[in-house]
Every structure is written in structure tokens, then in C-alpha cells.
Amino acid sequence: MTGPIIPASTPPDPDRIAERLPLLRRRALVARAVRAFFDARDYLEVETPYAVPTPGEEVHLRVFRTEREHHDGTRRALFLHTSPEFAMKRILAATGQPIFQLARVWRNAEGSHLHAAEFTMLEWYRPGATLAGLMDETESLLRAVLPPVLQRPPGLAEARPLRIDVPFERLTMAEAFARHAGIDLLPTEGDADSLAAAAGCALRHGEDWEDLFFRLLMERVEPAIGRDRPCFLTHWPASQAALARRDPADPRTALRFELYAAGLELANAFEELTDPVEQRRRFAADRARRASLYGAGPDMAWPMDEALLAALGHMPPCAGIALGFDRLVMLAAGTARIGDIQWLEEGAMV
């Protein structure tokens, strides 16, 4: 009797799943810990459609377009959403309950060691929460799912450890620009020449205030924050928070924060705007800017989300956050490459 035929050598795994399996197991453990965290706080896990009539209103995000064919042969354009935010706010308005979702999202024309065109977003909304309360909860989540001290992988930031077990830094955008760029930011808003003069730099061809703001943020501020411990960058200029409330104490700023850790932008959060009239005005302004920058072809044209606008007036005061789950896993697994912690990485750059 002969035994089974065994190939002389195992063929190589083009997706490297076997060699990445310890990292992928870490991904599963982090997902389990995230669900346990929200279950313990009485959050309701929800699911929303991925193919939607309105994918979002972010000016600079590119979308994936598809089409639904109905049984009668009629067709309707749909888009893969860039965030579950609009749908989750409708659920929040209907239930008044704290909710969370681990959702797949799509952003076209993206790809790098830190970006994938398809990735997982952890998004949650808490009725009654303030921006400060949401920062407290986000700190608690990271402490629940990450080790107290992280050894950062080469390529993300300096080799020194990142402390999760100490209070995270909280900097307003004005403080961050003053400290790390020597700029009094808020008085310049909307005036590109004034910001360039304050920064001691020349405007590039076609660069407006927003373009220069983000250039300075990426070149001077982001490399200096979140190095030894995570950092919340709060109170963004009002023009940079289309779905957030303005700060009543300083209407030049919006109640928004982003979270940075070890060279990664991890999360974006708002005290949510609940005024449908103001939200419609902001959406209209975003649409006009998107059309001026990128045109108005079929891949960029979708209806206003009237269901969301109708729901906003019924939504309780709340704060909400979108956190890049894949990047959270990158920190937990100690890798600088998003493809290492995705089971199959068609959307990532090798």
C-alpha cells in the first residue's frame, strides 16, 4: 500500500497568509475586545447598508460607483459608502441609544503602506456625550485593547515606546500651531496670504488657505505630536468640521478632535451638528467646492441625503467618532504596513 502523494515542496503563498497568521490572530482578538468594551457600556451594535444613494459629502474623498438593477429592468446609481455616519445618525435619531459598528468602507484612489481602498471603520455615537467625554471614552477603549506600552515598528516613528497607560495629551489646534509652527492660526482663517506670511513660506501655485493649512499641519504639527503618548488635536478651525457644532465659547472653532499615535492618524470625532438647516447649507457649500475642484460627472453626482437631514432634528445631543480599526490593529500587532493585518490585501499597496 502506498501513502498519499506529497509534493516535493509547498507552493509559495502569494497572499502570505501563513506567515502573517500571528498578526491576523491579533486582529481577531482586538475585534473581540472592542465588542466586549462596547457591550459592557450597553452600546447596541448596528449594521447599515454599504451600497447607498449618497456615499458622503467629504470634498476630497473619491468614491466607488455601482448600479442596482431592479426586477423591472430599471437601474439606480449607488455608491459604496466612505463612512457609515449618515445611516448611523438615522438609527441614533430613531432609537436614542448609544450605537457602534465595525463597518467596511471604501475610498477610491487611495493606497499606501498606511492606506487601503477598502478598510474597516469602527464608528460609535453616544447620546449626551461632550467632546471631552468622548475623549475620555476613547482613552478607555485604547487602554482596554492595547498593551500599556507599545514598541513602535520601524517606519512609523522613532523607536522609543508609546505609552498608553498615561493620560493622553490634549492640544487645541491653535495651541499646536503656536507650539510647533510658531503661528497664530485662527486670525488667518480664509486668508492664504496671511497664513503664508505667519508661516514664513511661499504659497504654491493655486494653493488656498485650506491647502496651506493642511500642508503646515502635515509638515510641522503632525510629526511633533503623539510620539511618547497619544495626542488629541482639538477645536479645529470652523471651516474644517462640516458635521460638527461650533464651539459656543469661540465660534471660530468647531468641536472636533483627531487622535494621533506613533505617526498614525487614528480617529476623527465631532460633537455632532443637529441643525438640519445649517447642515444643508454646509453640504451645499461642500458640493459646490467639490464640483469646482473635480467636476460633476456621474461618479461625483449623487442626491442630497434627505433622510439624514430629516433625522437630524430628532437626534439627541451627542458626540460621535470614526476610528480606523486597521490602524488600531497595526499598533497592537507592531507593524507599519496595513496590508500585514488584512486577511487579503487587494486594496493595499504592496
Side-chain angles (χ1 to χ4, degrees):
M1 178 181 294
T2 59
I5 298 175
I6 301 175
S9 62
T10 303
D13 178 1
D15 294 306
R16 302 187 304 116
I17 291 175
E19 67 185 73
R20 293 188 295 114
L21 194 55
L23 304 181
L24 297 170
R25 290 188 187 278
R26 178 63 63 89
R27 181 187 183 97
L29 290 173
V30 173
R32 189 182 307 167
V34 163
R35 287 192 164 95
F37 178 88
F38 287 109
D39 285 346
R41 286 158 179 77
D42 203 28
Y43 275 78
L44 178 65
E45 183 171 6
V46 301
E47 296 177 289
T48 58
Y50 290 171
V52 295
T54 302
E57 294 291 358
E58 298 92 339
V59 171
H60 300 292
L61 293 186
R62 300 287 298 275
V63 303
F64 287 86
R65 184 180 186 276
T66 186
E67 191 175 62
R68 179 183 176 187
E69 183 176 351
H70 295 274
H71 68 281
D72 61 0
T74 59
R75 297 174 181 270
R76 182 189 189 191
L78 294 174
F79 302 85
L80 298 178
H81 68 179
T82 59
S83 163
E85 179 172 3
F86 291 3
M88 290 184 73
K89 286 181 174 178
R90 290 166 57 191
I91 294 173
L92 180 63
T95 66
Q97 296 187 43
I99 56 174
F100 82 99
Q101 181 174 191
L102 282 163
R104 299 296 284 184
V105 298
W106 289 261
R107 298 181 179 182
N108 213 345
E110 292 198 1
S112 74
H113 294 320
L114 301 180
H115 298 83
E118 177 183 351
F119 60 98
T120 299
M121 186 82 81
L122 168 60
E123 195 150 328
W124 75 92
Y125 295 85
R126 187 171 192 89
T130 63
L131 206 66
L134 188 60
M135 285 189 274
D136 292 341
E137 187 166 61
T138 305
E139 282 196 40
S140 296
L141 171 67
L142 264 62
R143 292 196 185 101
V145 304
L146 295 176
V149 179
L150 292 172
Q151 299 299 326
R152 288 177 290 188
L156 279 185
E158 300 98 324
R160 61 190 182 207
L162 180 78
R163 298 288 300 273
I164 304 297
D165 59 346
V166 298
F168 295 4
E169 186 175 22
R170 302 186 183 192
L171 276 180
T172 68
M173 187 67 78
E175 291 169 339
F177 266 74
R179 181 180 304 177
H180 300 298
I183 297 169
D184 186 5
L185 176 68
L186 295 178
T188 75
E189 186 170 12
D191 185 341
D193 291 325
S194 176
L195 180 56
C201 68
L203 283 171
R204 296 171 178 170
H205 177 70
E207 194 171 43
D208 61 14
W209 183 90
E210 181 179 341
D211 298 328
L212 179 56
F213 163 75
F214 278 106
R215 174 156 67 98
L216 295 170
L217 176 64
M218 289 186 291
E219 291 179 357
R220 302 189 187 183
V221 175
E222 289 183 354
I225 61 176
R227 294 180 299 175
D228 300 308
R229 54 179 173 155
C231 176
F232 292 108
L233 192 55
T234 76
H235 295 80
W236 286 55
S239 64
Q240 302 307 308
L243 290 106
R245 293 177 55 234
R246 288 181 183 247
D247 184 358
D250 186 352
R252 298 176 302 170
T253 68
L255 295 171
R256 171 186 180 183
F257 72 72
E258 287 197 356
L259 174 61
Y260 294 84
L264 292 175
E265 176 196 333
L266 274 183
N268 184 29
F270 303 143
E271 256 189 59
E272 302 294 344
L273 180 65
T274 58
D275 179 347
V277 175
E278 173 64 12
Q279 188 65 81
R280 185 184 295 275
R281 185 194 67 77
R282 294 188 193 181
F283 280 165
D286 287 343
R287 285 165 166 256
R289 178 164 171 76
R290 186 168 58 244
S292 70
L293 291 173
Y294 305 114
D299 290 346
M300 303 295 290
W302 48 79
M304 192 85 79
D305 194 331
E306 297 294 343
L308 167 67
L309 292 170
L312 283 183
H314 303 281
M315 200 168 80
C318 70
I321 181 169
L323 187 150
F325 178 75
D326 303 84
R327 292 186 177 185
L328 183 66
V329 177
M330 287 171 64
L331 286 178
T335 180
R337 186 174 174 279
I338 195 171
D340 288 341
I341 50 83
Q342 293 186 318
W343 281 94
L344 298 171
E345 51 176 324
E346 278 84 353
M349 178 182 289
V350 177

